[in-house]
Amino acid sequence: MLLPRRAVFFLGVCFFLAFFLTTRSLSRPWRDVPQVIGLGDLVSSSNTTGAWNTTRGHTSKNLYAPLPDFISGIPKPSGYNYSKVMVVTRTKGEDTSWIAEELPDWDHAIYVADDPKAPLHPPKNKGHEVMIYLTYIVDHYDQLPDVAVFMHSHQFAWHNDNLFAGDAAQLLRRLNLNRVIREGYMNTRCGFGPGCPAWMHPGALEEDESKQEEIMLARAWGELFPDQEIPSVLAQPCCAQFAVSRDRIRSIPRARFVFYRDWLLSTDLSDYIAGRIWEYLWQFIFTGQPVLCVEENVCLCDGYGFCFGGNEEWNNYREAEAKRNEIQQELDNWMWLSDIGFADESDDSDGEKGNVLVSQLQEKQQEIIGLLTAAMERGQNPQYRAQEAGRPWKEGDGF
């Protein structure tokens, strides 16, 4: 029996489609067909490592964008004058005149967090310094200097290491820009506490009063880095002051910084918690490492030219400082008791105890000065700095 012409035509079309789709699937597996995601970004198994994982039908961790390719920078020859800028966050009531007075060779971008009429200001006063740091990068992405240092507005702070007497101006005058270029990212604080070696635990479920942001880290991480596993530990020295090279910033697409800032603008986390969370994210943003705790002696030597000779020698110096402080405290107590008439005269005829303490203090202070002077002299030698940092060096290299 002959089929109607319409049925024959329909069967022919079905046969053609079946043949076409079968031969196409044999010649080109579906995994090799570019998949359109997001706003038209193409991802294929042939050009994106790990873009698809067929094991048990699951996709891999990286479906969003290629991870940044962090590579070491190459410092310029000795004596090269790097362009550099301080990116500073302040409020209307804070004085930053010290920057121009103490650091006239540094450019500066001073943002006023709470003044929308200021020449430089963030889109919203939220997230503490984070909003300003991200805003500078977004706004200046195509006009970045060789090195940008992101800092708070105050000149003196406890988190500027003791060797600088807490003075940010001293710290920046000694900062080795070649190390920043080489490493790409450098926390300006060398001291471990707080922040290292294992400070934040994103999986924590119970609140710790000393780090209230800890229990919110897992949530924030999932929103900021949805294609990355949540690390068990986040750590770097506190307190959100760091230096970054232009090349390291540009290894990350500008759109990512816009995304990070949009997250900060829209999150329902408090201003305080959002800002504190980012204190332990910067090292991951710019290095891909959740934990970045550089040995203190290496940071001080290669970063600032205080080369004590190794970790043991650095610890010896710190012990000498601790002993000096102990003697000073004992002397202060003795003098106070003497002033109010409570000193034990039977053990201290003619103030002998005070004289002994003064002598001990002077002796310890001389020891500290000697150790520090020797460390600074060694730090002037680029070969020695390379040796203590454990990196190669050849004749003619700068720092």
Side-chain angles (χ1 to χ4, degrees):
M1 182 180 68
L2 295 177
L3 295 174
R5 294 174 61 187
R6 180 175 299 177
V8 171
F9 177 79
F10 177 77
L11 289 174
V13 170
C14 291
F15 176 81
F16 174 80
L17 288 175
F19 176 80
F20 175 80
L21 293 174
T22 300
T23 55
R24 185 171 180 84
S25 65
L26 289 173
S27 63
R28 188 178 185 187
W30 70 269
R31 289 191 301 273
D32 286 345
V33 179
Q35 306 296 308
V36 179
I37 63 174
L39 298 177
D41 294 328
L42 296 180
V43 176
S44 73
S45 63
S46 60
N47 61 16
T48 302
T49 303
W52 297 99
N53 178 2
T54 58
T55 305
R56 299 181 183 177
H58 293 302
T59 56
S60 78
K61 294 178 291 185
N62 184 18
L63 291 177
Y64 295 85
L67 296 177
D69 185 15
F70 297 128
I71 59 175
S72 299
I74 301 176
K76 299 294 185 181
S78 180
Y80 181 83
N81 187 25
Y82 290 107
S83 58
K84 52 189 186 290
V85 65
M86 290 176 62
V87 181
V88 178
T89 172
R90 77 173 182 90
T91 60
K92 288 187 289 187
E94 292 176 319
D95 182 15
T96 54
S97 60
W98 64 272
I99 295 174
E101 296 169 0
E102 298 281 350
L103 301 163
D105 58 331
W106 280 77
D107 291 330
H108 48 77
I110 302 173
Y111 284 75
V112 185
D114 56 351
D115 184 2
K117 295 182 180 180
L120 294 177
H121 62 273
K124 188 175 183 180
N125 183 15
K126 183 180 181 183
H128 292 200
E129 71 282 333
V130 183
M131 182 69 74
I132 285 172
Y133 292 179
L134 291 173
T135 296
Y136 174 83
I137 292 172
V138 169
D139 290 349
H140 297 83
Y141 190 85
D142 295 323
Q143 300 89 31
L144 293 167
D146 294 319
V147 172
V149 178
F150 297 83
M151 299 197 76
H152 302 156
S153 64
H154 32 266
Q155 179 178 359
F156 294 95
W158 66 267
H159 51 75
N160 296 328
D161 286 298
N162 290 339
L163 289 177
F164 310 109
D167 186 352
Q170 285 194 43
L171 182 153
L172 289 176
R173 281 195 288 265
R174 294 196 64 89
L175 177 63
N176 177 15
L177 299 183
N178 286 292
R179 178 173 175 82
V180 179
I181 296 294
R182 186 185 304 109
E183 299 294 323
Y185 170 87
M186 176 181 166
N187 193 316
T188 61
R189 177 171 169 80
C190 296
F192 270 22
C196 284
W199 184 243
M200 289 290 172
H201 300 83
L205 299 176
E206 296 184 7
E207 183 173 327
D208 183 335
E209 187 65 28
S210 66
K211 39 185 176 178
Q212 299 172 32
E213 66 275 23
E214 187 174 50
I215 61 172
M216 301 305 299
L217 271 170
R219 169 194 158 180
W221 185 278
E223 294 171 353
L224 288 163
F225 314 110
D227 54 345
Q228 297 295 306
E229 291 183 0
I230 299 174
S232 59
V233 176
L234 283 169
Q236 73 164 336
C238 82
C239 296
Q241 295 192 144
F242 52 86
V244 193
S245 71
R246 173 177 56 219
D247 290 343
R248 181 55 54 92
I249 293 175
R250 287 186 180 167
S251 68
I252 302 166
R254 179 179 179 274
R256 286 203 182 198
F257 295 108
V258 173
F259 167 72
Y260 296 148
R261 189 174 65 171
D262 286 347
W263 175 88
L264 191 61
L265 286 166
S266 62
T267 182
D268 60 0
L269 295 174
S270 70
D271 171 71
Y272 172 78
I273 293 297
R276 289 291 295 270
I277 282 173
W278 273 80
E279 197 168 320
Y280 297 98
L281 295 183
W282 293 114
Q283 81 281 7
F284 181 79
I285 296 289
F286 290 115
T287 71
Q289 300 179 52
V291 176
L292 188 64
C293 296
V294 180
E295 292 184 23
E296 290 184 49
N297 66 290
V298 172
C299 176
L300 289 169
C301 178
D302 199 35
Y304 298 103
F306 294 109
C307 298
F308 291 90
N311 191 51
E312 182 178 349
E313 290 78 6
W314 162 237
N315 285 330
N316 290 339
Y317 175 83
R318 290 202 299 181
E319 289 173 5
E321 274 198 322
K323 184 61 178 178
R324 186 269 315 276
N325 295 340
E326 180 184 321
I327 296 170
Q328 181 67 66
Q329 184 62 55
E330 188 176 359
L331 178 60
D332 291 344
N333 291 342
W334 176 86
M335 293 178 66
W336 178 74
L337 290 172
S338 296
D339 288 342
I340 63 175
F342 278 93
D344 188 349
E345 296 182 359
S346 63
D347 293 334
D348 188 33
S349 58
D350 298 326
E352 183 59 30
K353 182 177 181 179
N355 292 333
V356 170
L357 289 173
V358 168
S359 178
Q360 291 177 346
L361 184 63
Q362 291 175 342
E363 181 180 342
K364 188 57 64 175
Q365 186 64 26
Q366 287 302 313
E367 177 187 351
I368 290 171
I369 292 173
L371 292 172
L372 187 57
T373 300
M376 294 171 69
E377 289 176 354
R378 283 193 293 267
Q380 294 177 14
N381 185 332
Q383 185 175 3
Y384 197 92
R385 294 173 78 142
Q387 178 183 330
E388 189 152 348
R391 58 179 171 79
W393 183 88
K394 65 180 184 297
E395 192 66 39
D397 285 350
F399 287 151

